[in-house]
Amino acid sequence: MRNFILFIRRFFNLILFLGLEIICVVLIEHTNTLQGNDIVSSANAVAGIVYKKQSDVVYYFGLRKMNDSLLNENATLRKKLDLLHSIDTLKDSIAHIKIANNDTTKHVVKYADYLYQTARVINNSTNASDNYITINRGYNDGISKNMAVLSGTGIVGRVEHVSAHFASVLSVLSAKLKVSAKLKDGTNGFVVWDEKGADILTMIDVPQQISVKKGDTVYTNNFSLYFPPDIMIGTVIKTEVEKKKGMQIISLLSSTNFHKLQYVYVVDNKMAMEKKQLEDSTGKSK
């Protein structure tokens, strides 16, 4: 104890200076000043470099599981491509038949509105009230704020902060994020996280008269500004009725395994800005 007191007395000025310096940095960071934004950006960049070094070690020892996961995902994608090819062939056949019959009906081919880019997860939290994921892509790679982030099996979150080479993603496991969703019959609602666990999400705003069964799947709907439609969110494991509001509370098993998240897709909705500007002009932006 005596040595500790002597140590404090000897380095009191230095300790006081460091303490005041930390307080100043925190105060600047929590204000909406240019300096505060610079500190946050620099902190994200430094944290990203540290997380990447840590992730490189974990990444090396997890290559076998990662390869198995990628192989399974590729197999699923190949099945979907085969199905789409069959549908396109059928559409071409119908178009040729209509042309042969002098049918003037127009057939428009709609190209994808979303651009996908892969990224590696280099840090991931699941125990906080607002969880974040760090990925090894930044604005030098075309990543920008509010882009959607998906896994091979479902939704992950939305880009929140971006530096040159890294980005911080606000996870679905966050009280700040509410996702527009739909049941298999088309009934719309919202999916939120109420901290029941990293595997459990909750769908709200579903009327009690809607039939929902265990095992039903929940997907993103067409109302989201950033998430593509028909991306899986989770599977129903339990339903409850909130009698006062006449609404159901539906517990979902997340389709994304956040404990084993290694790779993600960052999605750029090419139509997002145009849609947002239109909805803002009419006062209907969500």
Side-chain angles (χ1 to χ4, degrees), residues 50-181:
V50 174
Y51 290 146
K52 186 177 185 302
K53 296 297 183 182
Q54 176 186 358
S55 174
D56 287 341
V57 178
V58 177
Y59 168 76
Y60 177 80
F61 290 102
L63 283 176
R64 182 175 179 179
K65 290 183 178 179
M66 188 186 305
N67 287 336
D68 291 341
S69 175
L70 290 173
L71 287 172
N72 291 333
E73 185 177 333
N74 286 337
T76 302
L77 291 174
R78 285 179 180 274
K79 290 179 182 178
K80 290 182 179 180
L81 285 173
D82 290 340
L83 177 61
L84 289 172
H85 177 72
S86 300
I87 293 173
D88 288 339
T89 302
L90 178 60
K91 285 182 178 178
D92 289 340
S93 300
I94 294 172
H96 287 310
I97 291 170
K98 288 185 178 290
I99 291 171
N101 293 333
N102 295 320
D103 193 324
T104 58
T105 304
K106 292 183 179 180
H107 291 267
V108 180
V109 179
K110 185 176 185 300
Y111 293 93
D113 292 333
Y114 300 91
L115 298 176
Y116 291 75
Q117 183 176 176
T118 59
R120 183 153 60 94
V121 175
I122 58 176
N123 189 53
N124 179 20
S125 68
T126 58
N127 299 319
S129 297
D130 295 305
N131 291 289
Y132 287 86
I133 297 163
T134 305
I135 59 175
N136 68 334
R137 294 283 185 269
Y139 57 72
N140 282 357
D141 306 293
I143 306 301
S144 60
K145 185 176 180 178
N146 289 327
M147 284 185 176
V149 180
L150 312 176
S151 70
T153 55
I155 65 172
V156 172
R158 190 181 67 207
V159 175
E160 188 76 3
H161 302 288
V162 186
S163 63
H165 303 290
F166 304 97
S168 180
V169 178
L170 179 64
S171 170
V172 175
L173 307 181
S174 168
K176 295 180 180 179
L177 195 57
K178 181 188 287 188
V179 181
S180 294

Side-chain angles (χ1 to χ4, degrees), residues 266-282:
V266 184
V267 185
D268 180 13
N269 181 357
K270 296 186 289 184
M271 299 291 108
M273 288 305 298
E274 181 179 341
K275 180 175 183 289
K276 187 175 188 304
Q277 288 172 0
L278 177 65
E279 291 180 346
D280 286 344
S281 68
T282 57

